[in-house]
Amino acid sequence: MDLCAVNVKNLFHTKSFCHRPVSSNLGRTGVSFRVVDNEITVLRRKGYRPFVVTASGKKNHGNSSSSGNGEQSIPEGDGIRGNNSNGDKSDHNSEGYHHTNLDWREFRAKLYRDELKEISDTDTHNQGGTLHNSKPLGTKWAHPIPVPETGCVLVATEKLDGVRTFERTVVLLLRSGTRHPQEGPFGIVINRPLHKKIKHMKPTNHDLLTTFSDCSLHFGGPLEASMFLLKAEEKLKLPGFEEVIPGLCFGARNSLDDAAGLVKKGILKSQDFRFFVGYAGWQLDQLRDEIESDYWYVAACSSSLLCGALSDSSESLWEEILQLMGGHYSELSRKPKQDT
């Protein structure tokens, strides 16, 4: 497939699609979680007191409604706050739990980093080496997770070298999907810029010709539908768009008018948008089979890493994520492409 030859004259004029989000599993090997009504409790951590974090905002039970024209209800609420049984925000409560104000994804990343440090410290101690202080998590981080979730990335492994559509790609999973045949996981490739702007492709849509004419185009995947990502402040609520991770939302054909309206009102700038031609989609079992067959690594990444890649050149994102994941992932990022 010649990515530069993608025809986008009918951008956002393809039939829209409907999917339904589902809740994702937050746990991973080595850390025990209990999840009840949006409250995440770390049950056992060596050398730590239990943690309790509670998602703030309105609860989303993984249900959304879709009409025939592709309109969808959008889940609300994204923050994480500490909360005790009396509803007070505090650092400690009478049960001895320690509360944190972190976004749950950052909270989990800290747990993952601490777990790795414990393993490293144990190995260093057994070998008689010198222990080092733990470094801050930083604004850019990535780590593996066991199962796909909304907002995670799929990082192509060396098994996809030679498969032009997906080799060395990073797919941002916009929804984790359900077992319904029409509601499987889907996402967009975010590291394949087409090095063209919308105005160069002479689109037929008025908003694309005017409001978004200078926006860059990216290859999003082999399936026929176009989407856009928009970056916004985490506190800014945007009805009509679906949040993927804090600070990053997505829209499709049915929300293009709303997107143009936000720009015209000065709430957002056209530079906050990235447009993608095509998308990638699977059946739920199909994606799991591909992951188990080592075609994809599944990783959680910081919002600043993904939003930064959309602001700057994204072509090095595959290498950057693998290097941040460390270990054998980092080694893979330096390997030449496999012969096919």
Side-chain angles (χ1 to χ4, degrees), residues 105 138-141 231 234 245-248 301-312 317 320 324:
R105 296 172 68 257
T139 58
K140 289 187 176 183
W141 49 261
K231 295 184 295 180
E234 294 180 23
I245 56 174
L248 194 64
C301 300
S302 64
S303 297
S304 60
L305 174 61
L306 296 178
C307 290
L310 294 172
S311 299
D312 306 318
L317 186 62
E320 186 174 10
L324 287 169

Side-chain angles (χ1 to χ4, degrees), residues 94-306:
S94 59
E95 295 179 352
Y97 287 118
H98 176 68
H99 295 282
T100 177
N101 294 319
L102 298 176
D103 175 275
W104 71 264
R105 296 172 68 257
E106 184 178 353
F107 173 76
R108 180 180 60 183
K110 287 181 179 292
L111 288 179
Y112 181 82
R113 180 206 55 186
D114 291 346
E115 183 108 345
L116 291 183
K117 186 176 185 304
E118 286 183 14
I119 295 172
S120 176
D121 286 351
T122 300
D123 293 341
T124 301
H125 176 75
N126 291 339
Q127 296 171 10
T130 303
L131 300 181
H132 299 283
N133 294 329
S134 178
K135 295 180 180 179
L137 184 61
T139 58
K140 289 187 176 183
W141 49 261
H143 66 81
I145 55 177
V147 293
E149 64 189 23
T150 297
C152 76
V153 295
L154 306 175
V155 185
T157 72
E158 64 269 36
K159 279 193 173 184
L160 287 174
D161 284 354
V163 181
R164 178 161 173 73
T165 304
F166 287 118
E167 70 174 2
R168 309 234 159 170
T169 55
V170 176
V171 178
L172 176 63
L173 205 62
L174 301 179
R175 289 208 191 134
S176 55
T178 72
R179 290 192 175 277
H180 191 283
Q182 301 301 319
E183 298 176 347
F186 72 94
I188 47 178
V189 176
I190 57 174
N191 64 330
R192 286 279 185 85
L194 293 173
H195 304 293
K196 292 182 181 293
K197 294 184 177 181
I198 288 179
K199 62 184 178 184
H200 298 145
M201 310 308 292
K202 298 180 174 58
T204 57
N205 181 278
H206 176 72
D207 288 325
L208 294 176
L209 275 171
T210 56
T211 306
F212 300 112
S213 63
D214 285 323
C215 289
S216 59
L217 277 173
H218 300 251
F219 171 73
L223 300 182
E224 187 179 354
S226 296
M227 303 185 197
F228 59 84
L229 291 178
L230 63 97
K231 295 184 295 180
E233 294 181 7
E234 294 180 23
K235 296 181 180 179
L236 184 63
K237 297 301 178 184
L238 301 173
F241 304 97
E242 189 163 331
E243 187 177 73
V244 186
I245 56 174
L248 194 64
C249 303
F250 84 92
R253 178 180 66 87
N254 57 307
S255 51
L256 187 59
D257 290 343
D258 292 334
L262 290 171
V263 176
K264 293 172 184 177
K265 292 176 183 177
I267 298 174
L268 293 174
K269 299 177 181 179
S270 61
Q271 295 91 332
D272 295 326
F273 291 79
R274 292 293 180 273
F275 289 82
F276 297 82
V277 181
Y279 75 105
W282 300 262
Q283 297 297 318
L284 189 63
D285 290 338
Q286 177 190 7
L287 179 57
R288 290 179 178 175
D289 287 344
E290 290 186 13
I291 293 169
E292 290 175 1
S293 299
D294 295 325
Y295 287 102
W296 302 100
Y297 296 128
V298 187
C301 300
S302 64
S303 297
S304 60
L305 174 61
L306 296 178

